[in-house]
Amino acid sequence: MPALLLLTGPSAGRRYEVVSQLTLGRSPSCDIPLEDDQVSRRHAQLFLDTVAGQVRLRDLGSTNGTLLNGQRLALQEEAVLRPGDRMRVGATIAVYEPPPVSIVDEPSGAPASEPQHVPIEEVLPHVGAAAAMYSAGTALLGATSEAMVLRRLSEETAHALNADRAAALLSGPEGLRTAAVSGAASVEVPRALVQAALERKELGRTDTALCSPLVASGGMPFGVLYVEREESPFTEGEGQLLASLGRLGGEAYTAVRSRAEAEAAELPWVTPLGTSRAFRGVVEEARRAAGSAAPVVLYGEPGTGKALLAHFLHGKSPRALGPWVTVECRQSLEAVEVALFGRAGAPGQPPVTSAVLRADAGTLLLRHVEALPRPAAERLARMLARRAAPARQGGEEPVDVRIVATSASPVSRLASRGEFDAALARGLAGFELEVPPLRERRGDVPVLLEHFALRGARQGGREAPVLGPEARRLLAEYPWPQNVRELELVAERLGRVYAAGHVGIPQLPPEVREGAVGQAPRTLQEQVARLERDAIAEALRESGWKKVRAAELLGISRPTLDRKMEEYGLTLERGTRG
């Protein structure tokens, strides 16, 4: 049978089945008597229309009126009730429950009947504690960040308990801090309720407030879930519901946090290697940009390490503990749109959560953003302007995402030439940092070679090879057309193949030997530089790699020698000291 469940008011918690008709009012003769001065003696009536299979609501000329889903019914107006509709009479709020649906098979031996097909919306719970837990569980399972868990938890709690205000608060060394609030800008939680929740894992309550611990299995509370309601006191059942929501929210928060920590552990959080002036400059610019919330575009030739610098920037930013999400923009339009905006579920295909939504409270890296298809770029620009992302359940929800992009050229320049969406270029306006190619930071080549060669050798549990001076010279002079990426591949191969051995010119890849030889100096300045570099290298070898002695042989000061060695990418042989 259809029924009416009273959520608040003097008869809160009672359930009345609609057999034929129900009258609500202050009179004791009413089917649902309500001791409330705001209610007329015969206030409203529900009746069952057996022909249409509907339950209708009618106001009986009450003084203060009858509200259905927040709208006042006119005198003698009839309204058809739908599952989950909320009716308000004075201080009483009631929810309409549709008739229960049965889809069980016929008993054995019974006459065969046609199979029943019931819309899933009618099977799912619409009212009561079961509906509140189902709604909250669905919302929390779709959360992609800790901030989103707490925001959704406070919203679902306020709705489930018909509260004026709800808040999720986290405890820390500095005390309790508000993480999410629904229904107000801020809340003030009584100290006694907080202590009961955090120190004794108890549900604290007053006439107008409830406070439950945020806790996951096997741990102590790490926060509280708090609600306030001014119209009517909370019931015991509502206290149980809040405690359940606190536990559900604690489990969801812990799961999302653990997943984020596991993903962060897989990221290559390393300080970019290089001491050249050009590279130090861009690293310092990245440090300054990290403290801002503005978008960052890192541009330069392929293989210069733009993605690694983006990781470095995220790790130095206030969002370092937030999610880090990457989208490759060189994919097809369909693949990019699915990655950026998500996809609803389909037969054989589970739904895909939008990358913008997953990056909430963190950073979204758009790799090769200049290749982003124009339709996807236009849609992304609109979302960034609205600070919103596609929600799993449909529609949009607000997000706080910082965009970092990599590109071959500045997007502002591409937009001015009509080669990039102008609206997205405005959305990415912020910092534009050029990452220099390796040929402009030759002093970093020896450091990078040593680092990558050692990494390659240690993959086999061995020590890095020793590079001979001529091999080192050829590697430093090679133009590295594919930049750091090419150097990384060559150095790691040398480390794996010649681990703990010696690398001379014969051991170098053919392209390095031929490429370096093909770079013979042509101008007078280049020839002088080559002679000077060879003279310094010879002096170092003759002095046994003692820089003080080498400087004497060359007739220059020790600081001048250090500067020249950095300029030409010369380093001491391993195991020597200058």
Side-chain angles (χ1 to χ4, degrees):
M1 296 294 292
L4 198 66
L5 176 64
L6 276 56
L7 299 179
T8 65
S11 300
R14 295 186 180 180
R15 184 176 182 275
Y16 297 88
E17 293 187 347
V18 185
V19 180
S20 57
Q21 67 178 30
L22 290 176
T23 304
L24 298 85
R26 199 173 69 250
S27 172
S29 63
C30 291
D31 300 299
I32 305 179
L34 302 172
E35 297 180 4
D36 187 343
D37 293 338
Q38 302 178 47
V39 177
S40 299
R41 293 185 59 80
R42 290 174 56 81
H43 197 107
Q45 187 178 64
L46 289 87
F47 62 93
L48 178 63
D49 184 345
T50 56
V51 177
Q54 298 173 333
V55 172
R56 299 175 181 269
L57 172 65
R58 176 193 303 141
D59 183 84
L60 300 178
S62 63
T63 302
N64 294 321
T66 301
L67 300 180
L68 180 62
N69 298 324
Q71 301 295 320
R72 182 166 179 163
L73 296 180
L75 180 64
Q76 298 300 321
E77 177 188 358
E78 293 184 2
V80 177
L81 296 183
R82 306 293 182 189
D85 279 354
R86 294 198 171 204
M87 177 188 71
R88 181 162 188 159
V89 175
T92 297
I93 297 177
V95 176
Y96 170 63
E97 291 183 345
V101 179
S102 174
I103 55 175
V104 297
D105 293 334
E106 293 290 342
S108 178
S113 60
E114 291 294 324
Q116 300 183 33
H117 303 281
V118 183
I120 187 66
E121 289 77 9
E122 295 184 18
V123 178
L124 297 174
H126 293 281
V127 295
M133 292 299 291
Y134 163 74
S135 178
T138 302
L140 295 178
L141 282 172
T144 58
S145 68
E146 300 158 42
M148 192 184 297
V149 167
L150 298 174
R151 184 174 69 240
R152 291 186 174 182
L153 179 62
S154 64
E155 293 171 352
E156 291 292 327
T157 301
H159 178 73
L161 298 176
N162 194 38
D164 298 315
R165 290 168 293 279
L169 304 99
L170 299 178
S171 61
E174 304 82 11
L176 207 62
R177 58 185 176 90
T178 304
V181 181
S182 179
S186 61
V187 294
E188 295 182 0
V189 186
R191 184 181 298 273
L193 297 186
V194 173
Q195 290 177 337
L198 291 180
E199 298 175 7
R200 300 189 296 274
K201 294 176 69 172
E202 295 177 351
L203 175 70
R205 62 186 306 160
T206 65
D207 288 341
T208 60
L210 289 174
C211 185
S212 177
L214 274 176
V215 61
S217 56
M220 292 297 294
F222 56 84
V224 299
L225 187 59
Y226 177 75
V227 290
E228 292 179 348
R229 189 170 68 202
E230 298 174 358
E231 291 187 353
S232 58
F234 289 104
T235 65
E236 181 178 348
E238 289 174 322
Q240 293 175 345
L241 178 57
L242 183 71
S244 300
L245 289 171
R247 178 61 181 273
L248 183 65
E251 296 288 355
Y253 182 89
T254 303
V256 170
R257 185 180 183 87
S258 299
R259 187 163 62 246
E261 290 175 349
E263 292 172 353
E266 297 175 0
L267 294 176
W269 298 129
V270 295
T271 301
L273 294 174
T275 59
S276 64
R277 184 178 292 106
F279 191 66
R280 287 201 308 267
V282 74
V283 170
E284 287 306 311
E285 289 184 49
R287 287 183 188 273
R288 287 194 294 271
S292 168
V296 179
V297 176
L298 301 165
Y299 68 92
E301 297 179 8
T304 51
K306 298 185 291 293
L308 180 62
L309 195 60
H311 285 160
F312 169 76
L313 191 150
H314 172 72
K316 295 295 181 182
S317 75
R319 301 168 179 261
L321 298 180
W324 168 265
V325 181
T326 301
V327 172
E328 173 56 67
C329 299
R330 291 181 296 184
Q331 306 175 84
S332 66
L333 174 59
E334 180 182 1
V336 168
E337 288 190 331
V338 169
L340 278 176
F341 312 120
R343 178 188 63 202
Q349 290 184 330
V352 176
T353 303
S354 159
V356 184
L357 186 61
R358 288 189 287 118
D360 186 27
T363 303
L364 174 62
L365 173 65
L366 302 175
R367 297 194 64 178
H368 307 101
V369 70
E370 74 277 11
L372 191 64
R374 187 60 64 97
E378 294 172 353
R379 184 178 177 188
L380 179 61
R382 292 193 296 269
M383 286 196 167
L384 294 180
R386 293 195 300 268
R387 301 178 66 85
R392 284 279 298 274
Q393 64 272 26
E396 293 183 348
E397 63 179 274
V399 291
D400 175 22
V401 177
R402 188 193 192 170
I403 303 295
V404 177
T406 66
S407 173
S409 303
V411 294
S412 56
R413 184 188 307 164
L414 295 173
S416 66
R417 299 200 299 252
E419 299 174 5
F420 191 79
D421 183 69
L424 183 56
R426 289 192 295 271
L428 296 177
F431 295 90
E432 282 193 333
L433 309 182
E434 182 179 9
V435 183
L438 195 54
R439 64 180 175 274
E440 294 181 7
R441 41 181 293 214
R442 288 191 177 275
D444 296 335
V445 171
V447 178
L448 294 169
L449 280 169
E450 184 173 340
H451 171 75
F452 292 129
L454 180 60
R455 190 170 72 182
R458 285 183 174 174
Q459 291 175 357
R462 305 179 68 184
E463 291 298 319
V466 176
L467 296 176
E470 293 305 315
R472 191 185 297 272
R473 180 178 65 80
L474 286 182
L475 288 167
E477 292 176 352
Y478 180 64
W480 300 109
Q482 301 304 315
N483 293 296
V484 179
R485 184 178 302 144
E486 183 182 8
L487 185 148
E488 178 182 7
L489 294 174
V490 170
E492 284 196 347
R493 175 182 174 277
L494 293 175
R496 289 193 299 268
V497 176
Y498 304 106
H502 182 272
V503 174
I505 293 179
Q507 284 74 41
L508 297 180
E511 64 272 16
V512 173
R513 297 196 303 267
E514 297 168 4
V517 172
Q519 296 295 313
R522 290 174 293 179
T523 66
L524 177 61
Q525 183 179 3
E526 290 176 342
Q527 294 181 49
V528 170
R530 169 67 67 86
L531 291 173
E532 187 176 49
R533 185 190 186 285
D534 291 344
I536 293 173
E538 181 60 32
L540 286 169
R541 285 194 293 271
E542 185 177 338
S543 64
W545 305 99
K546 305 297 183 182
K547 288 198 283 186
V548 174
R549 175 61 179 155
E552 293 176 354
L553 291 174
L554 293 167
I556 59 177
S557 66
R558 167 68 181 273
T560 301
L561 176 63
D562 288 335
R563 180 171 56 82
K564 293 289 186 181
M565 289 180 64
E566 179 181 1
E567 180 180 347
Y568 294 125
L570 293 170
T571 58
L572 297 180
E573 287 288 330
R574 181 167 303 185
T576 63
R577 300 178 62 183

